[in-house]
């Protein structure tokens, strides 16, 4: 910003010192620079809204990575710059799921990580070498998240089912939204809420939490089942925030899902006709596009 203003000032002063008549182009440039220099900061265009979304599954295989990857792909397809990444220092799921040894060739600046580019380079999937177990402090996590946020308008962080880990909690403290994913295994879902104490981030960030029901069919959408789910969630909620499911992703054709896995692709890479199934993920509880 400083260099840009300095350049404007220099050009403006040079034009102002000239004694001969200015050409039409010089007159236009002179007036443009004058207007920009005299404009107040409030007249500048607002910067793009930046978002950080942490996605976690209540338990393994709930589908956090599946939803994080496909939601990022769908959002990037609308022209929004998106970075999809995982907790630093953990063995990367996307490294294997998307065959990044073959597909990712770009290096992330100031890092040894690779970047897999999709959706006309609007989607950047950041992957690290497997079995990278470097320890990090809360300050390191904050610095890492700041770097991620500078790269794209939206950062989606796949926490998988690591919501109990200190580093994941730190990410959720800093995120704008927390997507909590569960699936149709209602027995496992109920057992979790009955046997586990509410985590600190659940109690602290109720306004940021979005409950995502994955693999949900028409039977499960019946009011009786939904009320049972909401009643179970209320075991953690108390009176802090109302229970309720914020988004539902229906059960996807198992054959399509299997083919996408075997071809090391995101589902929407191969089957763009399934985009409508993920649309509910791109809206906040107030109906805003992310």
């Amino acid at each position: 910003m400083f260099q840009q203003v300095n350049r404007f000032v220099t050009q403006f002063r040079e034009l102002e010192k000239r004694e001969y008549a200015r050409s039409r182009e010089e007159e236009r440039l002179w007036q443009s620079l004058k207007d920009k220099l005299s404009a107040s900061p409030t007249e500048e265009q607002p910067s793009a809204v930046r978002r950080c979304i942490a996605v976690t599954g209540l338990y393994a295989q709930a589908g956090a990575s599946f939803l994080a990857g496909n939601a990022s792909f769908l959002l990037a397809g609308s022209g929004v710059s998106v970075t999809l990444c995982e907790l630093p220092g953990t063995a990367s799921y996307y490294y294997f799921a998307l065959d990044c040894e073959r597909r990712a060739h770009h290096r992330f600046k100031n890092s040894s990580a690779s970047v897999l580019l999709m959706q006309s380079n609007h989607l950047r999937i950041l992957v690290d070498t497997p079995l990278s177990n470097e320890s990090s402090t809360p300050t390191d996590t904050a610095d890492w998240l700041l770097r991620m946020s500078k790269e794209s308008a939206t950062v989606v962080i796949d926490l998988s089912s690591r919501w109990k880990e200190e580093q994941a909690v730190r990410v959720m403290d800093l995120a704008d939204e927390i997507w909590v994913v569960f699936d149709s295994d209602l027995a496992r879902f109920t057992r979790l809420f009955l046997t586990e104490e509410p985590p600190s981030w659940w109690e602290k960030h109720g306004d940021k939490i979005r409950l995502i029901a994955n693999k949900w069919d028409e039977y499960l959408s019946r009011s009786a089942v939904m009320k049972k789910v909401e009643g179970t969630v209320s075991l953690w909620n108390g009176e802090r925030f109302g229970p309720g499911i914020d988004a539902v992703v229906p059960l996807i054709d198992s054959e399509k899902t299997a083919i996408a896995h075997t071809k090391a692709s995101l589902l929407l890479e191969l089957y763009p006709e399934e985009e409508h199934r993920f649309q509910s993920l791109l809206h906040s509880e107030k109906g805003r596009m992310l």
Side-chain angles (χ1 to χ4, degrees):
M1 184 64 176
F2 172 80
Q3 293 179 343
Q4 185 180 29
V5 172
N6 187 53
R7 185 166 60 252
F8 282 155
V9 172
T10 301
Q11 294 183 44
F12 179 78
R13 299 308 178 202
E14 288 179 354
L15 289 173
E16 199 173 40
K17 290 177 181 178
R18 295 185 182 181
E19 297 180 355
Y20 58 85
R22 291 183 286 269
S23 67
R24 182 176 300 177
E25 179 61 19
E26 287 175 329
E27 184 69 29
R28 185 196 63 77
L29 179 58
W30 181 88
Q31 187 61 47
S32 174
L33 292 174
K34 184 177 180 180
D35 292 341
K36 289 178 180 178
L37 289 172
S38 61
S40 65
T42 57
E43 294 175 324
E44 294 181 356
Q45 293 294 322
S47 58
V49 176
R50 294 184 177 274
R51 305 285 294 170
C52 176
I53 303 169
V55 184
T56 188
L58 283 174
Y59 33 74
Q61 304 303 316
S65 298
F66 178 78
L67 296 188
N70 285 286
S72 298
F73 187 88
L74 180 58
L75 184 59
S78 67
V80 177
S81 60
V82 180
T83 293
L84 171 62
C85 52
E86 299 161 280
L87 278 177
T90 58
S92 172
Y93 166 79
Y94 297 108
Y95 184 91
F96 300 102
L98 300 177
D99 193 10
C100 289
E101 183 69 30
R102 175 179 60 86
R103 299 180 64 186
H105 303 292
H106 303 269
R107 288 291 174 186
F108 187 72
K109 64 182 182 180
N110 302 323
S111 171
S112 61
S114 298
V115 178
L116 176 58
L117 300 176
M118 296 184 185
Q119 294 290 53
S120 301
N121 296 344
H122 288 300
L123 174 58
R124 300 156 54 86
I125 302 178
L126 184 64
V127 290
D128 210 339
T129 304
L131 306 180
S132 175
N133 295 315
E134 298 179 6
S135 59
S136 62
T137 66
T139 302
D140 293 334
T141 302
D143 291 343
W144 168 79
L145 184 54
L146 179 61
R147 292 198 307 272
M148 295 300 101
S149 299
K150 289 180 178 179
E151 297 297 323
S152 302
T154 299
V155 178
V156 178
I157 305 174
D158 176 13
L159 304 178
S160 190
S161 56
R162 298 187 178 92
W163 53 269
K164 291 184 180 181
E165 297 182 12
E166 181 181 2
Q167 192 178 10
V169 173
R170 178 59 174 163
V171 167
M172 288 188 276
D173 286 341
L174 299 172
D176 298 295
E177 288 195 14
I178 303 170
W179 294 5
V180 181
V181 181
F182 63 96
D183 65 4
S184 56
D185 189 341
L186 297 183
R188 186 165 57 163
F189 176 81
T190 303
R191 183 183 63 183
L192 176 73
F193 279 86
L194 284 172
T195 59
E196 296 277 359
E197 291 295 323
S200 61
W201 52 267
W202 181 279
E203 297 183 312
K204 187 190 303 182
H205 302 303
D207 59 326
K208 300 195 299 187
I209 291 174
R210 296 185 65 205
L211 279 175
I212 313 295
N214 186 33
K215 309 173 190 175
W216 220 246
D217 60 22
E218 292 184 5
Y219 173 80
L220 293 172
S221 296
R222 294 169 56 184
S223 60
V225 177
M226 298 297 272
K227 287 180 180 178
K228 180 179 179 181
V229 171
E230 292 178 357
T232 302
V233 173
S234 68
L235 295 172
W236 277 9
N237 284 343
E239 298 179 356
R240 285 177 292 278
F241 64 98
I245 298 175
D246 297 284
V248 172
V249 178
L251 185 65
I252 307 293
D253 185 323
S254 59
E255 183 177 348
K256 289 182 177 180
T257 303
I259 292 174
H261 286 325
T262 58
K263 293 190 175 181
S265 301
L266 295 172
L267 177 78
L268 293 184
E269 278 189 274
L270 300 183
Y271 304 103
E273 68 273 12
E274 300 290 345
E275 287 184 356
H276 66 283
R277 300 184 182 276
F278 299 89
Q279 286 291 342
S280 64
L281 297 175
L282 302 191
H283 294 79
S284 72
E285 65 279 4
K286 296 181 180 179
R288 273 187 302 110
M289 281 294 292
L290 296 177

